[in-house]
Amino acid sequence: MRISTTVLQNSFGKYLKMAMEGTPIYIDRNSEPVAVMKGVTEEERWHLKEEARAYLAKPRYTYEEFREIAERDENTCQYEFIDGQIYLLGSPRFSHQSALGELYVTFFHYFEDKPCRPIMAPLDVKLFGKAARFEDNPNVVQPDMFVMCDTDQVDEKGKYQGIPTLAVEILSPSTKSKDIMIKAKLYMDSGIQEYWVVDIENRHLTIYHFEERDLKEQNVYTSGDIACSSIFEGLKVETDRLFNS
């Protein structure tokens, strides 16, 4: 649909609604096209939700700047630092926490007599991708849950300095694109061996198996399935316990 700027000004709400419903609105001024108004796609919507919080209007931040912000708000906010961007973690929904609780109970019982330990957020995990050391590519994340098999890597201050063997993320609307794309690559590059992504809304669980910092296998489980770990024999969960929790 093509309209003039005057018509748009007089009925902005009407044409905004049409654009959101899928009808592009082409706008003319003095009979010349000057702009187009259209609704955002699902991919664009997630990108807009996932933009890093803009501190001091800088496009990228140093690890030192991140530490200053995180330490200042340590008691009130939780943050992640990935590829020079700072992400503020919002409060999770009930369904998110309920599914996390189901997973933790399963993992706790499985690892009860084993050397590895499941850990729930919040706890910082320092990753550095394919770099030789953290200082070369500093990233700090807080997986919803992870499995620690290098328990000797907890320092005297109670900070974890190792690399998890397995990481779990339960998708939220505000973290979906980050968890699926940005974090998956970071986890793979950093040497994490398995990554579980729980999508409650779409009722599926994806398990990525990484080997030598590359994707070896990807399995998707839906309602009624029993999801199984590729690296921990016998570690499994009924998906409906996560989706219906």
Side-chain angles (χ1 to χ4, degrees), residues 25-228:
I25 308 298
Y26 297 91
I27 305 163
D28 292 347
R29 174 183 290 172
N30 298 325
S31 300
E32 293 292 331
V34 293
V36 60
M37 183 167 62
K38 64 183 184 67
V40 298
T41 65
E42 282 298 315
E43 180 179 355
E44 292 168 333
R45 182 175 293 113
W46 292 122
H47 174 72
L48 290 171
K49 286 185 178 182
E50 272 297 296
E51 285 196 61
R53 184 172 178 177
Y55 288 95
L56 309 179
K58 292 184 180 180
R60 291 180 66 85
Y61 303 90
T62 66
Y63 176 61
E64 288 70 26
E65 289 174 318
F66 162 73
R67 284 188 59 188
E68 290 178 7
I69 294 169
E71 289 174 2
R72 184 176 64 226
D73 293 342
E74 184 176 10
N75 295 325
T76 56
C77 298
Q78 300 296 328
Y79 298 91
E80 290 185 317
F81 181 66
I82 305 175
D83 294 333
Q85 298 293 332
I86 298 174
Y87 297 88
L88 173 64
L89 303 182
S91 177
R93 297 179 178 181
F94 170 81
S95 58
H96 177 287
Q97 293 302 90
S98 183
L100 178 59
E102 289 283 349
L103 271 178
Y104 181 76
V105 169
T106 299
F107 276 52
F108 177 83
H109 288 302
Y110 175 84
F111 289 106
E112 194 168 11
D113 57 350
K114 298 176 177 62
C116 302
R117 295 183 61 183
I119 304 294
M120 283 200 298
L123 184 66
D124 286 346
V125 174
K126 294 182 176 181
L127 302 175
F128 42 96
K130 294 182 178 180
R133 56 180 189 158
F134 179 75
E135 291 76 11
D136 296 332
N137 182 24
N139 296 272
V140 180
V141 295
Q142 291 192 6
D144 287 319
M145 186 170 68
F146 65 91
V147 175
M148 169 198 303
C149 294
D150 50 355
T151 55
D152 59 324
Q153 293 300 311
V154 178
D155 64 22
E156 65 279 0
K157 296 181 179 179
K159 303 292 186 180
Y160 178 54
Q161 305 297 340
I163 303 295
T165 301
L166 182 154
V168 176
E169 299 286 2
I170 299 174
L171 300 183
S172 298
S174 62
T175 68
K176 188 171 185 177
S177 63
K178 173 162 62 73
D179 290 343
I180 293 176
M181 296 182 292
I182 299 174
K183 276 191 171 180
K185 185 177 187 305
L186 176 62
Y187 289 164
M188 179 178 68
D189 289 347
S190 299
I192 290 174
Q193 297 178 41
E194 193 163 280
Y195 181 32
W196 293 36
V197 181
V198 181
D199 188 337
I200 299 173
E201 182 179 4
N202 294 304
R203 301 178 69 83
H204 61 72
L205 163 62
T206 304
I207 297 181
Y208 300 89
H209 179 197
F210 303 132
E211 190 171 282
E212 296 182 355
R213 302 175 192 268
D214 200 359
L215 178 62
K216 179 181 180 181
E217 187 179 17
Q218 174 181 338
N219 294 307
V220 179
Y221 302 91
T222 58
S223 293
D225 290 341
I226 297 179
C228 302

